[in-house]
């Protein structure tokens, strides 16, 4: 009987530990049109509170910073504060320019694009329009350690930047040629040599290479995106 109780206690402990480190995602949706049009739909990490909180805080920080209105991201409530501030700024704009038909918009959409035992990739796509000739779109990839909730940086992920750069540059050339683009690589990087994008992402198909507007070429070029199969780059990566 004692052995049975000990076994049950051990199994309970193992199960509780698995529960502690298990990481799942739900949907966090915020929508309002009381002043500006705002829609935020992103993954929300659940499970181990410390790990989940780190992931969620990093995503909230990014969303608040993308709104260009608040730098206080010490807690989740700062997102609500930023939304109120965004609406207040728009209301002030309408008061100062009552004849303007300009509608302010802030749209955010996120998804988990890849999951493995060592890496979780989340893509956050944001669109901000507060007047001017056009709004601005930005896509950022966040690569998390699922055991700690900490972000991997580029050097954590890439073990041979030079070799990976050569592959990406070749694929970028092929991508641009397929679109009948005649500009040189220097034209796309504003007179500079080839550069890797600011962030890279992961999907089940491979490594996602994405250059945001103005990161490569002009606004008219738009976002440049393509995927390289893992089989072609896995030797240059520490994680996949």
């Amino acid at each position: 009987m004692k052995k049975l109780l000990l076994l049950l206690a051990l199994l309970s402990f193992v199960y509780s530990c698995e529960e502690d480190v298990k990481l799942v995602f739900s949907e966090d949706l915020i929508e309002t049109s009381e002043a500006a049009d705002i829609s935020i739909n992103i993954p929300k990490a659940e499970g181990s509170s410390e790990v989940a909180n780190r992931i969620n805080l990093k995503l909230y920080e990014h969303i608040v910073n993308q709104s260009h209105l608040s730098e206080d991201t010490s807690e989740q409530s700062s997102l609500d504060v930023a939304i109120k501030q965004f609406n207040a700024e728009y209301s002030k704009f309408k008061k100062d320019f009552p004849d303007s038909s300009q509608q302010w918009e802030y749209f955010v959409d996120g998804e988990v694009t890849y999951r493995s035992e060592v890496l979780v990739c989340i893509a956050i796509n944001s669109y901000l329009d507060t007047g001017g000739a056009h709004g601005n779109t930005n896509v950022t990839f966040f690569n998390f350690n699922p055991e700690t909730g900490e972000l991997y940086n580029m050097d954590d992920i890439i073990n041979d930047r030079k070799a990976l750069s050569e592959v990406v540059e070749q694929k970028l050339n092929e991508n641009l040629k397929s679109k009948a683009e005649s500009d040189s690589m220097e034209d796309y990087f504003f007179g500079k040599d080839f550069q890797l994008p600011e962030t890279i992402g992961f999907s089940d198909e491979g490594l996602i290479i994405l250059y945001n507007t103005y990161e490569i070429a002009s606004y008219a070029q738009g976002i440049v995106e393509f995927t390289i199969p893992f089989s072609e780059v896995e030797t240059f990566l520490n994680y996949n």
Side-chain angles (χ1 to χ4, degrees):
M1 184 66 178
K2 289 183 178 180
K3 290 184 178 180
L4 178 60
L5 290 175
L6 180 61
L7 178 59
L8 290 175
L10 180 60
L11 289 175
S12 176
F13 173 77
V14 171
Y15 179 78
S16 64
C17 288
E18 290 179 349
E19 285 290 298
D20 287 340
V21 300
K22 185 178 181 180
L23 190 62
V24 297
F25 290 89
S26 61
E27 184 181 82
D28 194 3
L29 176 62
I30 302 172
E31 291 184 321
T32 175
S33 57
E34 62 182 63
D37 282 339
I38 300 173
S39 177
I40 299 172
N41 185 9
I42 61 171
K44 182 177 181 180
E46 309 283 359
S48 172
S49 60
E50 186 176 354
V51 173
N53 286 341
R54 283 178 184 154
I55 292 175
N56 293 332
L57 180 58
K58 182 58 65 175
L59 298 181
Y60 294 143
E61 285 178 349
H62 175 74
I63 293 167
V64 170
N65 290 336
Q66 285 291 299
S67 72
H68 303 303
L69 289 174
S70 175
E71 295 181 357
D72 179 14
T73 56
S74 57
E75 55 186 27
Q76 179 178 352
S77 61
S78 63
L79 182 56
D80 299 325
V81 172
I83 290 172
K84 291 178 181 178
Q85 190 175 350
F86 193 85
N87 278 323
E89 290 292 329
Y90 177 64
S91 297
K92 182 178 182 298
F93 168 80
K94 291 296 290 182
K95 183 178 180 180
D96 293 339
F97 303 96
D99 296 330
S100 175
S101 60
Q102 175 67 48
Q103 175 65 41
W104 284 19
E105 299 173 325
Y106 186 40
F107 303 139
V108 180
D109 188 50
E111 66 171 319
V112 178
T113 63
Y114 182 78
R115 293 190 64 174
S116 74
E117 293 182 354
V118 294
L119 187 144
V120 172
C121 181
I122 298 177
I124 300 294
N125 183 358
S126 62
Y127 173 81
L128 178 68
D129 188 355
T130 57
H134 50 73
N136 291 311
T137 298
N138 178 273
V139 180
T140 303
F141 294 105
F142 294 87
N143 298 303
F144 292 100
N145 181 332
E147 294 185 356
T148 65
E150 298 290 347
L151 267 178
Y152 291 123
N153 60 41
M154 291 282 270
D155 289 333
D156 291 329
I157 295 171
I158 303 170
N159 62 52
D160 192 336
R161 185 181 287 261
K162 183 176 183 297
L164 180 63
S165 294
E166 290 174 354
V167 174
V168 175
E169 183 175 5
Q170 178 186 347
K171 296 294 183 180
L172 177 59
N173 266 316
E174 294 173 1
N175 181 272
L176 296 176
K177 288 179 180 178
S178 69
K179 297 179 180 179
E181 301 287 351
S182 58
D183 293 338
S184 66
M185 191 63 67
E186 289 76 14
D187 293 327
Y188 280 95
F189 290 97
F190 308 101
K192 298 179 181 179
D193 294 333
F194 168 84
Q195 300 172 32
L196 288 172
E198 293 182 3
T199 62
I200 59 176
F202 292 78
S203 73
D204 290 338
E205 286 70 42
L207 192 68
I208 304 174
I209 303 300
L210 186 146
Y211 291 92
N212 280 295
T213 306
Y214 296 126
E215 190 178 357
I216 178 173
S218 64
Y219 179 85
Q221 175 65 41
I223 290 175
V224 175
E225 178 184 6
F226 53 93
T227 299
I228 304 176
F230 284 129
S231 59
E232 299 183 31
V233 294
E234 61 185 355
T235 57
F236 314 133
L237 303 174
N238 292 321
Y239 306 101
N240 58 30

